[in-house]
Amino acid sequence: MKYGFFDDAAREYVIHTPQTPLPWINYLGSEAFFSLISNTAGGYSFYKDARLRRITRYRYNNVPADGGGRMYYICDGDAVWNPGYLPCKTPLDRYACRHGLGYTVFEAAKNGLSAGLTCFVPLGVSCEVNRLTLRNDSPAAKTVTLFSAMEWCLWDAVDDSSNFQRNLNIAEVEVDNGVLYHKTEYRERRDHYAFFGVNREVNGFDTDRDAFLGAMNGWDSPEAVTLRQSGNTVAHGGAPMAGHMFKLLLAPGEQKSCVFVLGYVENERDRKFDAPGVINKEKARAMLEKFATDEKVELALGELAAYWDALLGRFQVSSPDDKLDRMVNIWNQYQCMVTFNMSRSASYYESGIGRGMGFRDSCQDLLGFVHLIPERARERVLDIAAIQREDGSTWHQYQPLTKRGNAGAGWGFNDDPLWLVACVSAYIRETGDDGILREPVAFDNAPGTEAPLFEHLRRSIHYTLANRGPHGLPLIGRADWNDCLNLNCFSEEPGESFQTCANYESGVAESVFIAGMFVLYGREYAELCRRFGRPEEAFEVLARVADMERAIVEHGWDGAWFVRAYDAFGQKVGSKECEEGQIYIEPQGLCAMARIGLEQGYPRKALDSVKARLTTPYGTCLLAPCYSVYHKELGEVSSYPPGFKENGSIFCHNNPWISIGEALNGNEEEAFAVYRRTCPAYLEDISEIHRTEPYVYSQTIAGAASPKFGQARNSWLTGTAAWTFVNASQYILGIRPEFDGLSIDPRLPASIETFSATRLYRGVKYVITVKNSGSGDYTLFADGSLVEGNVVTAAKGAGEVSVLVTR
Ligand code: BGC
């Protein structure tokens, strides 16, 4: 069942009912001011950091989940309705929500009155603009009472939802000519305030939530709206809000618009006040002026569209498969940008008060956005590297506002350091900017400890080498990519975090996954050394990589697939010897990508085992059989009911590893089949089962062992976005950045006989045509000349290169 459709020409997903199985959301903002917006106009806004600088309030675990956000109440006769359906839930005569690139539009109508609400965060300005247009489509004049409403958060989202003894006493607002200012704590240590203004004269306002709602009412029936009269209230403590009231007379056919601006302002310390207690509003007024007319709003929307055109224009494909095209061209790249902005911090499932930026998460996210924003990617690489510690280990997370490691999450997740190699090498392959290797970066952000980025990579590699167990395989530490495989934790304390509780430093628990990673990215590091002035080190590291390969072949092979790990007692995890959890996806993916044990045919055998034991119509499960009881020697993985999360769901993030493995090991049909099974555009028809948005990837899909088989959870902020884009663009379509140029080596199913693509690479536009009418190697011509091998050497300067690829 579908709840909408893809409008590819407009690059929108159009939802035609507000009753989607879950809130289907979009993200507004691309620099510092961000908002989440659902298909009922719910969501919240923040500046840079969803935890530390939250602007509007969101209630966790609330029902319905989709409360709050931007509320516009349209009172027309007896009817009161909202253009996004919630919170009043008044049935609408017409409803559409168009989620586009950086904007969302609602089109609604009732009783001959139509409403259009366009929401976006303009480029370069810290605000969200909401333009609401009302049109009288009836033959009689209408007097409409319109209310706007939103609720302020008291900045720190954790404190806001917990520290009531303080925060019920601190709220302060100012009202100035219809502009409602939120200035809580501005009197003391904050130099920032927020405001909600509008370009039309108001007939009333409210800033005191309890007065606006009245006792016992929720946002679905505010007393002021029922009475059609706002109270002109000024909040002192309690819960501050911002809401306007307008009386609008609309002649038949007449249309009126209001442009609302929810803005955020920072002032210099010595220019905070205009008069004692009166805040300096200069910047707010300038911001309001920027969006004071419909024309100015149109202009800003045009700039936003041009920004996205330019970004997505860097990689475009045209193939016979419209679903592949719409994911690659629009939604997958868009989701990669959202993971750049949000990491795992703020979604409808990531509360914005928990995780900041994950080290491994951000490194992997970069693989998906580096081609879109190479300059900003450079800064991200350096920020990430600066939370590495001197011994090569890394903090597991950092806060985007402070860019310091999060003490709460600690370090000791032993895969983390190696992801830095993956990310730096992807950056250099894309940009050719090897100068980044010489960039000084501090350890743990401590001034005076700066060393070239190259040295950080060296420490990553040596961290793995220095931390190996009895089989010569890397020690797992607190966990590896699978945050829930906690082999040293043995937790028996309810509620204790599996990741950060006291570890038993067994010195024994080893990860075959990290071993596979070491082979893959150790080779990558050696290549960096070979190319950029450290030939001896390259030689040395390759020898260590060979040791690791041997260790895997000797101790990490289980007969038909790769073992997952050794536990703290030296017992195998993910082996036929185990009762449950006999096979895990992760080492099969990584080791097949690294082609470990090629001579013995291991990659092929492992992939065949994955097909036979883990593959379902909805994707490839993380492990099988699922754990039916809690194993304290394994940790969180066995804490989930079978089929959920790490205990055997289809964990979408690692499915591309299998697809890439298949592509590299000779099964192009299966590579594409793996890609399709989890790709949301192909799942649109089963949205009632899948439930999350059909335009973006989710973290998991419940596995075959779950009664909810096929149900996706935790959409948007997942490493799946980056890895599926890497898979689709670099392996299936085969357009892959190398150090010297662009290699073109597609791995296509027979159903895709031809495609064309454009790829902006180091300033040059490559126009690529692929004809796939056989098997084996491709022949390449660049601007008419035969290319030796499959790498088109990076052209100098700007301009265009046309590449013909045939087989
Ligand atoms: C985390 C990742 C982790 C994955 C698997 C996600 O929630 O963000 O860092 O690799 O779970 O456990």
Side-chain angles (χ1 to χ4, degrees), residues 126-401:
S126 290
C127 70
E128 179 183 319
V129 176
N130 291 179
R131 180 181 52 191
L132 179 64
T133 304
L134 296 177
R135 196 182 62 225
N136 181 1
D137 295 328
S138 79
K142 281 181 184 281
T143 306
V144 174
T145 310
L146 170 69
F147 290 85
S148 67
M150 41 132 308
E151 190 178 4
W152 300 115
C153 178
L154 305 178
W155 305 117
D156 180 322
V158 176
D159 198 72
D160 182 72
S161 55
S162 52
N163 187 7
F164 303 115
Q165 61 79 27
R166 170 175 163 82
N167 64 33
L168 285 174
N169 298 287
I170 59 174
E172 288 194 299
V173 300
E174 242 179 83
V175 177
D176 178 55
N177 212 5
V179 186
L180 311 170
Y181 291 87
H182 176 224
K183 59 171 188 179
T184 300
E185 292 186 343
Y186 188 79
R187 60 163 57 238
E188 27 122 350
R189 291 157 297 172
R190 293 189 185 274
D191 304 330
H192 46 262
Y193 61 75
F195 65 91
F196 191 41
V198 59
N199 69 342
R200 172 180 288 278
E201 200 152 319
V202 306
N203 300 106
F205 61 87
D206 271 298
T207 65
D208 183 323
R209 183 198 67 192
D210 293 348
F212 177 75
L213 295 179
M216 300 196 165
N217 296 326
W219 292 101
D220 57 337
S221 54
E223 194 170 274
V225 174
T226 308
L227 298 174
R228 311 285 195 267
Q229 186 56 55
S230 58
N232 298 344
T233 54
V234 176
H236 298 282
M241 62 164 286
H244 308 99
M245 182 190 74
F246 309 85
K247 299 274 181 202
L248 300 173
L249 187 65
L250 290 165
E254 195 186 359
Q255 172 169 308
K256 283 188 176 153
S257 78
C258 305
V259 180
F260 296 89
V261 176
L262 169 64
Y264 170 87
V265 164
E266 286 180 356
N267 274 336
E268 297 74 32
R269 276 248 151 128
D270 55 351
R271 302 197 55 224
K272 280 176 68 168
F273 295 98
D274 277 350
V278 180
I279 63 179
N280 175 348
K281 304 181 182 68
E282 203 180 307
K283 291 182 186 169
R285 289 185 184 128
M287 217 186 274
L288 284 162
E289 190 47 44
K290 273 189 168 37
F291 307 100
T293 64
D294 284 316
E295 293 71 34
K296 290 181 176 181
V297 171
E298 286 301 328
L299 207 67
L301 280 167
E303 282 168 15
L304 193 62
Y307 165 82
W308 280 105
D309 268 348
L311 274 189
L312 301 188
R314 289 168 166 255
F315 196 117
Q316 289 287 297
V317 61
S318 169
S319 81
D321 186 329
D322 59 345
K323 296 186 177 72
L324 173 71
D325 290 4
R326 74 167 60 109
M327 287 311 296
V328 170
N329 294 342
I330 308 169
W331 296 101
N332 199 173
Q333 295 198 76
Y334 185 56
Q335 189 175 359
C336 287
M337 279 303 292
V338 171
T339 62
F340 164 71
N341 288 321
M342 300 291 138
S343 187
R344 306 293 171 272
S345 70
S347 75
Y348 264 47
Y349 316 97
E350 305 287 0
S351 63
I353 54 177
R355 308 200 271 172
M357 317 278 289
F359 187 94
R360 81 160 77 88
D361 295 332
S362 295
C363 286
Q364 290 173 87
D365 291 345
L366 184 132
L367 309 180
F369 62 69
V370 63
H371 70 292
L372 293 167
I373 42 165
E375 304 76 25
R376 299 177 76 189
R378 187 179 210 274
E379 186 189 338
R380 176 63 54 83
V381 172
L382 300 175
D383 286 348
I384 299 170
I387 61 161
Q388 184 172 40
R389 294 147 39 87
E390 297 215 34
D391 68 355
S393 67
T394 77
W395 289 93
H396 196 46
Q397 289 166 8
Y398 70 100
Q399 277 307 121
L401 199 67

Side-chain angles (χ1 to χ4, degrees), residues 345 355 481 580 644:
S345 70
R355 308 200 271 172
W481 172 87
E580 298 175 330
F644 281 128

Side-chain angles (χ1 to χ4, degrees), residues 600-636:
Q600 298 88 332
Y602 289 176
R604 189 62 267 149
K605 281 188 199 157
L607 291 167
D608 291 343
S609 298
V610 167
K611 182 79 195 290
R613 294 178 147 249
L614 296 175
T615 303
T616 78
Y618 299 130
T620 318
C621 295
L622 189 144
L623 60 79
C626 302
Y627 296 106
S628 58
V629 292
Y630 175 55
H631 292 258
K632 68 175 175 177
E633 76 285 7
L634 300 179
E636 189 170 357

Side-chain angles (χ1 to χ4, degrees), residues 460-471:
S460 286
I461 294 289
H462 285 269
Y463 179 80
T464 306
L465 290 173
N467 289 278
R468 281 179 291 170
H471 301 95

Side-chain angles (χ1 to χ4, degrees), residues 517-535:
M517 254 190 107
F518 183 83
V519 174
L520 197 62
Y521 297 120
R523 286 187 199 138
E524 199 70 21
Y525 176 70
E527 186 59 14
L528 290 171
C529 290
R530 193 182 68 77
R531 286 173 175 270
F532 305 113
R534 299 183 173 195

